[in-house]
Structure formats: structure tokens, C-alpha cells
Amino acid sequence: MPAVLIVSASPLDQDRLRLNAEFRDIRHALQRSRNREEWTIESNEAVTVDDLRRALLDFRPSIVHFSGHGGGSSGLCFEDVDGNANTTSAEPLAKLFHHFKDDLKCVVLNACYSEVQGNIIRQEVDYVIGMSRAVDDSAAAKFAVAFYDAVFAGTDFRTAFDLGCTALDLNKLPDADVPIFMTGSHLAPTILSYSAHIPEIERILYSYFNTPFTDRTRFTTTGDSLRSIMEKYYGEKMHRNIEKVRVMSMKSLTEDQWLIEVACSESRFVYVRIRERSVLVEWEASVGLWSIPTKTYLALGSSESVVARVEAELDTYYNYDFSEQEHRFQSVSLDTADGLRLHGYVERQTEVYNKLMDILSDGNEHRITIKIIQVIKQTDMPLITEVLSRTWIYSESGMSECKSKN
């Protein structure tokens, strides 16, 4: 039978917290549940790190719930034998949880600034919930009770997280955006804070994905002017309906443009524009549209510049006319949305080189929009002539460059 292990610490030398009320309400959540015979709750108050270790051995919980003080990078506050604060960093806690990972599926850190700790603990645990900043006592307790209402009802941890945050909104309590949902590093990595826009995004994307391809224009920022482009892009591709859309993460690009990671069968990433309650899809960016089809360019080449949306990363590949030209050109690998790879080159000490290095010098892969041109016989080894956008959101029809906050 799965167990929730609730541990708490409110050291004598710290501000006192009303943790007993939170525990009482979580127990009431189980008593109210139709599935109350399927879970047990174990609690340990005024806990030391040794108490935690022993409780993990005794109960082998599915969920560990910590309530108390958090200090960000300095750690979580447990108690010492005298009842005073004993701050413990996340690294040893993660190592402790590693030994129980066969049973332990979720860790809830209901403590201020605990996102830092959660980001380390998720290396060992499938699901972790932390707090991005200080959180009001009443809001923390309301979130916890709503979270366990959902867990005991049989929902998954992500849905329970959403319902916990929504409970704060419904009760007009602060801090609905403070809880952070994180998945383990061995799963599809997700770090997601609550947004009141998520239900609307999921509703719009569900309708978008279940609409025939060329009828999707009404869901896009560009509108019906896209119809002929969509007809050419999708061609004879068969449309299939999907059952569910789940937002897994949101990355802010500008004040109203977002990169959304979704769990569904058709696409993993979608760019959207959110203005007030309106959600529209940035279609060209979402499909990685080129000014000419990628396969056409690779087959025939082009004497004109081509607008290309690519996942770019610094490379060390030099061949053909670029062989032994490292002193003059920088190699850049260019992956396309349809799974093709090109080896691009940019001339060193030029304006486009400086712009590109400003984006790629961290050594990571970045989604960018560039212009390329064929300068040698090999079409898969183009010259990069211009950086158009730091993301895939770009339109030659007048859309201003979208600069990432990150």
C-alpha cells in the first residue's frame, strides 16, 4: 500500500510555523477520499536528518512531504538534538533518496525557496515539487491539501500540482505561481510553474491539432493568408485526431510570445502568442518552416538566400571546399525540424559571426532563424549570411525580431 511520509521541522531558533494544521487537513483529505483504504499517512514532527533516514527505512513511502523553512541554496531546515536549526543541503538528501527510489516517486518540498533543492533532488526522484520564492503559510497549506485531494482521488502528480495551484486562485490566495513542478532528469525534463493560461492553451491546442491541416489558419497569428502555404507544406499528409494535449513546460520569449512543450502525438514544441485571454499559434515557427522546402533545397540547391529555421550548435566539421579553412570559417551544425542535418559555415570576424557567437558561445544547441546560401557544390554545406532571429519566430512580412530573455 503506498504511503505518504510527512516530515516537518520548525526549529526553536526560527519563526514558528503552523504545521499541525497542515498535517490535520492532509489527513482529512485522505478520510474524505473514496480511495482512503488505498493509502496510508505516516508523520514525523520536529524531525532530524536521522529521523528522516529511519522513517524512509521503516515506511518505504511513495511520497515524502517536507514542511518547514527553506533557505534556497543554503538548504532545508531540519532540527538538531536540541531543537535548533540544522540546515541540510540538497546533495546529501538526493543521495539518501537514491537508496529508496524504487518506492519513492514524488518529493514535495513545502518550504520557501525550495526550488533550488528540488532541482538537485530530481536527479534521483521522478517528480519533485518546490517553491520558487517565499510562500504564505495559508497558501502553502491550501496548496498541499488540494494536491493530496487529487492524489488520493487517483490523478497523476502533474494534474494534482495544477489543481493545487488552481485552489489558490479559486480562494483568492496569493502565490499561485510559486509552486514549481519538476520531473526527474531521466524522464523528459520539465520545470513548470503554474500559469492561469495553461487551461486555455491546452484547449486551443486541442482544437488546433484536431482540425484538418489547411483549416487551422483561424488558430494562427497569420490567419487565412497562410492557407496556400499550409496546403503546399502538408501536401497529401494524412490528418489524425488526438485524444489529449498536456502542457509540459512554458518558456517566455517575449512579453506575449512563448515556446510551449506539449505531450501529444503530433508535435512536441509549439510557439504561441498570448495576449490577454487570446492564444494563437505561431505556425511558421511551430513547424520550422523554411522559405523553400528543406528537401528541395538539399536536392537542388539555391542561388538565392534561403530563410532557415534550425537547431544550431558549434561544430568542428570541415570538409570539401571548407577543409583546412578553420582559420577563416567557423563550422556550425544545423538540424532541421524534419530531422535533416546540414553543416553550415560562417566567416570569422564578420558581423554575422559576432551575432552567431553571442548566441552559440555557451556551447549549447539553440533554435534560431538564419539566412543561408549555397556557395559550393555540396548543398548540405551552406554559408550562413545573416542571423534573423534568436528563436524560430520570424517573418519576412514585417514581424520584428523576437529576442529571447534567456
Side-chain angles (χ1 to χ4, degrees):
M1 181 181 295
V4 179
L5 173 61
I6 303 176
V7 295
S8 68
S10 186
L12 298 174
D13 55 354
Q14 301 282 328
D15 292 338
R16 305 300 289 173
L17 301 173
R18 294 184 66 250
L19 302 180
N20 288 337
E22 180 179 334
F23 292 178
R24 179 200 64 214
D25 290 343
I26 292 174
R27 289 186 179 279
H28 287 171
L30 179 58
Q31 293 168 5
R32 288 193 301 268
S33 172
R34 293 182 178 180
N35 301 321
R36 55 184 171 273
E37 303 300 327
E38 298 178 12
W39 285 86
T40 62
I41 295 177
E42 305 292 343
S43 62
N44 198 329
E45 300 174 30
V47 71
T48 68
V49 288
D50 288 326
D51 292 332
L52 173 62
R53 173 177 53 80
R54 294 182 183 114
L56 289 168
L57 284 167
D58 289 342
F59 303 117
R60 303 283 173 160
S62 298
I63 303 173
V64 169
H65 180 100
F66 174 85
S67 287
H69 291 285
S73 57
S74 63
L76 299 173
C77 286
F78 289 84
E79 297 188 16
D80 63 17
V81 293
D82 297 318
N84 295 317
N86 175 25
T87 302
T88 303
S89 64
E91 286 81 1
L93 287 175
K95 291 177 183 177
L96 175 64
F97 292 144
H98 169 81
H99 299 291
F100 301 91
K101 62 192 306 180
D102 288 345
D103 299 300
L104 182 57
K105 301 305 177 186
C106 181
V107 171
V108 180
L109 303 176
N110 209 11
C112 301
Y113 304 103
S114 55
E115 178 186 2
V116 177
Q117 312 304 315
N119 199 33
I120 296 171
I121 291 171
R122 74 188 182 99
Q123 305 303 314
E124 301 293 345
V125 180
D126 287 352
Y127 303 97
V128 180
I129 294 170
M131 302 293 163
S132 62
R133 59 180 188 269
V135 58
D136 180 78
D137 277 0
S138 59
K142 178 65 71 174
F143 169 83
V145 172
F147 174 83
Y148 287 107
D149 279 340
V151 169
F152 297 148
T155 71
D156 58 81
F157 293 124
R158 166 59 202 287
T159 300
F161 167 83
D162 285 346
L163 289 171
C165 296
T166 302
L168 301 185
D169 272 349
L170 290 171
N171 287 278
K172 299 179 181 179
L173 290 172
D175 303 330
D177 61 339
V178 175
I180 302 292
F181 179 82
M182 293 170 268
T183 59
S185 58
H186 59 289
L187 302 174
T190 297
I191 300 180
L192 178 69
S193 61
Y194 172 77
S195 169
H197 294 298
I198 287 178
E200 181 67 6
I201 293 170
E202 291 178 343
R203 185 184 72 80
I204 291 296
L205 292 184
Y206 178 83
S207 299
Y208 169 80
F209 286 128
N210 284 301
T211 297
F213 295 125
T214 55
D215 292 333
R216 294 180 176 180
T217 57
R218 62 193 176 94
F219 296 105
T220 70
T221 58
T222 316
D224 205 52
S225 62
L226 274 178
R227 186 173 296 277
S228 61
I229 299 173
M230 282 185 167
E231 289 174 351
K232 184 180 296 185
Y233 177 83
Y234 289 114
E236 299 301 317
K237 183 178 178 181
M238 181 71 68
H239 175 260
R240 292 181 174 85
N241 287 342
I242 62 172
E243 294 182 0
K244 187 176 182 180
V245 174
R246 168 66 65 84
V247 172
M248 301 304 296
S249 66
M250 295 176 62
K251 180 181 179 182
S252 175
L253 304 176
T254 67
E255 184 178 347
D256 58 4
Q257 290 170 319
W258 296 76
L259 176 59
I260 309 295
E261 182 184 7
V262 295
C264 74
S265 58
E266 182 174 323
S267 179
R268 181 179 175 189
F269 292 102
V270 182
Y271 290 84
V272 302
R273 187 186 72 194
I274 304 173
R275 290 180 180 170
E276 296 179 350
R277 295 185 59 84
S278 171
V279 177
L280 293 173
V281 175
E282 299 278 8
W283 180 79
E284 298 95 323
S286 296
V287 300
L289 188 72
W290 283 37
S291 57
I292 64 174
T294 313
K295 292 182 179 179
T296 301
Y297 170 77
L298 288 175
L300 304 176
S302 174
S303 58
E304 303 293 331
S305 292
V306 174
V307 175
R309 291 179 170 89
V310 294
E311 294 181 351
E313 186 176 16
L314 295 179
D315 204 352
T316 58
Y317 180 87
Y318 293 87
N319 209 341
Y320 297 100
D321 292 33
F322 292 101
S323 181
E324 299 181 1
Q325 291 287 318
E326 294 94 328
H327 64 286
R328 184 180 173 191
F329 296 98
Q330 172 62 54
S331 173
V332 184
S333 69
L334 308 173
D335 292 335
T336 69
D338 49 3
L340 302 174
R341 168 163 288 191
L342 292 76
H343 298 285
Y345 296 89
V346 59
E347 190 169 4
R348 296 182 184 272
Q349 311 312 318
T350 60
E351 182 180 358
V352 64
Y353 170 83
N354 292 334
K355 287 184 177 180
L356 202 56
M357 292 308 103
D358 181 53
I359 301 170
L360 303 182
S361 59
D362 62 2
N364 296 320
E365 190 174 70
H366 293 265
R367 288 186 160 207
I368 61 175
T369 307
I370 58 177
K371 275 191 177 181
I372 60 174
I373 192 168
Q374 181 187 357
V375 293
I376 65 173
K377 183 178 180 181
Q378 285 72 28
T379 58
D380 63 344
M381 301 181 71
L383 185 68
I384 301 169
T385 60
E386 193 173 348
V387 177
L388 299 175
S389 172
R390 298 175 71 97
T391 74
W392 280 7
I393 300 179
Y394 172 81
S395 172
E396 288 189 295
S397 65
M399 181 184 295
S400 60
E401 181 174 335
C402 174
K403 294 186 177 181
S404 172
K405 294 179 180 178
N406 300 305

